[in-house]
Amino acid sequence: MHDKKREAELRDLEQQMAEPGFWDNKEVSQEVVRRYNDLKRSGSSGDTFPAVITIIAGTGGDDAEDFARILADMYRRYAQKQGFSLYEVDRHETPVGGYKNITLAVDDPSAYGLLKHETGVHRLVRISPFNAKKQRHTSFVLVDVTPKVPPIKEVAIPEDDLEVTFMNAGGPGGQNVNKRETAVRVRHVPSGLTVRVERERSQVRNKEAALEILRGKLLMLMQKRQVEQLRDLSFDKKAGIEWGNQVRSYVLHPYKLVKDLRVDYEESNPDDVFEGKIDGFIDALQSGL
């Protein structure tokens, strides 16, 4: 599409989104936002990367680890609905079937642009299935979405900055499923960032996959530091604090509601959300942030 025509349509859609009651009809509003985001992406390639989703259980014990599993399944189902290829990079499964942490890769060039705002602390409130007294329990999980970046000049990593370790791949609960040392852990010494990959049967391919993920994490770290430097120059520090804040709350008891705390958008059916129907949140976040 010609730039002038695209900009004109973007302005028209922005006016529609600014109208009172825009979100009253969810089907229409989501279609408008989806068109808006498609036009925005067509004019920019900064977000055109596959995505890597890392999910880490936080406070909440077994409930938090189960919540990490629930979110991993949610993103799997979302990717399936979109027709994206998703595979598991690494996981640390618990004896009760939850995850201390799990890393998923979504190999579609639009994945990072769609999922990047999932980054942050997610909160679950429910009656704990792990508590004999059936008490309400709150647990927290950190979701980190980074781009999967091929070799580019802006994120060149000297070999001297890398610490590479090979180890046996492990199955659920840590059991050994592969006697050969094919799993790879790559640590970027200057930043301390570490990536572990065990998906492939080859050390070389696992190292290549780990470096792609590491480049994405380094790119995000560089951008974050640039933003922090600009914030120090332009904003009051108290007003600018946002890293690590809660981004979305999933409440199953005493009422049912999923609400994003950054935009005025919520869903009243958590079961649908956990089935991967998160398009409404994605569209609202892309238009509202």
Side-chain angles (χ1 to χ4, degrees):
M1 181 182 291
H2 193 276
D3 282 348
K4 289 186 178 180
K5 186 176 180 182
R6 184 176 67 84
E7 292 298 327
E9 187 173 352
L10 281 171
R11 286 194 296 271
D12 179 63
L13 294 173
E14 286 170 352
Q15 288 177 357
Q16 291 183 47
M17 290 187 289
E19 291 291 330
F22 172 73
W23 291 106
D24 291 349
N25 188 324
K26 286 186 178 179
E27 289 185 6
V28 173
S29 62
Q30 288 180 15
E31 185 57 38
V32 170
V33 172
R34 190 169 291 113
R35 175 59 179 165
Y36 178 82
N37 291 326
D38 287 343
L39 289 170
K40 291 285 282 186
R41 283 195 295 272
S42 70
S44 173
S45 60
D47 289 343
T48 309
F49 293 106
V52 177
I53 308 170
T54 302
I55 303 169
I56 303 170
T59 304
D62 288 341
D63 275 277
E65 291 159 0
D66 188 54
F67 185 27
R69 175 193 60 80
I70 291 170
L71 290 182
D73 288 343
M74 181 182 78
Y75 293 124
R76 284 190 181 103
R77 291 164 183 152
Y78 171 75
Q80 184 179 27
K81 291 177 188 297
Q82 299 297 316
F84 295 163
S85 171
L86 179 147
Y87 62 86
E88 191 176 291
V89 176
D90 185 39
R91 70 175 174 181
H92 184 174
E93 190 173 352
T94 68
V96 295
Y99 298 127
K100 288 189 179 297
N101 56 73
I102 182 169
T103 300
L104 306 170
V106 188
D107 270 349
D108 186 275
S110 65
Y112 177 67
L114 290 169
L115 292 167
K116 64 180 181 178
H117 293 307
E118 293 298 299
T119 293
V121 176
H122 294 237
R123 171 177 172 261
L124 175 67
V125 181
R126 66 174 177 177
I127 299 296
S128 171
F130 304 99
N131 188 311
K133 296 181 180 179
K134 301 298 181 183
Q135 295 177 329
R136 190 169 63 178
H137 190 88
T138 301
S139 52
F140 299 88
V141 163
L142 174 65
V143 176
D144 182 36
V145 181
T146 57
K148 186 179 178 185
V149 182
I152 57 175
K153 182 179 179 182
E154 289 81 357
V155 196
I157 308 175
E159 281 290 332
D160 290 346
D161 287 351
L162 299 176
E163 184 180 275
V164 181
T165 307
F166 299 99
M167 63 204 75
N168 292 339
Q175 70 187 49
N176 185 20
V177 295
N178 189 345
K179 299 290 186 182
R180 298 175 58 202
E181 292 187 335
T182 55
V184 176
R185 182 170 59 223
V186 178
R187 179 173 178 267
H188 183 246
V189 177
S191 67
L193 291 173
T194 301
V195 175
R196 184 180 186 275
V197 177
E198 64 172 50
R199 176 175 181 254
E200 306 290 348
R201 294 186 177 273
S202 157
Q203 287 182 350
V204 173
R205 294 181 67 179
N206 277 333
K207 182 181 177 184
E208 289 173 352
L211 285 173
E212 283 189 326
I213 297 171
L214 183 61
R215 278 189 289 266
K217 289 182 177 294
L218 283 171
L219 181 62
M220 294 304 295
L221 183 62
M222 290 160 54
Q223 291 176 345
K224 178 180 175 181
R225 286 175 177 170
Q226 288 173 348
V227 169
E228 288 174 336
Q229 289 170 356
L230 289 173
R231 182 181 292 117
D232 287 341
L233 292 173
S234 306
F235 299 101
D236 178 83
K237 284 189 177 182
K238 289 184 179 179
I241 295 172
E242 61 183 24
W243 304 110
N245 286 353
Q246 290 180 43
V247 295
R248 190 174 302 148
S249 181
Y250 306 74
V251 180
L252 306 186
H253 183 84
Y255 54 88
K256 292 191 174 184
L257 184 71
V258 182
K259 181 176 178 61
D260 200 283
L261 307 179
R262 298 161 293 179
V263 290
D264 187 20
Y265 187 84
E266 60 188 39
E267 293 277 358
S268 59
N269 191 335
D271 291 338
D272 279 353
V273 175
F274 291 143
E275 282 297 315
K277 297 178 181 178
I278 58 175
D279 303 80
F281 291 99
I282 290 172
D283 291 343
L285 287 162
Q286 290 185 326
S287 62
L289 289 181

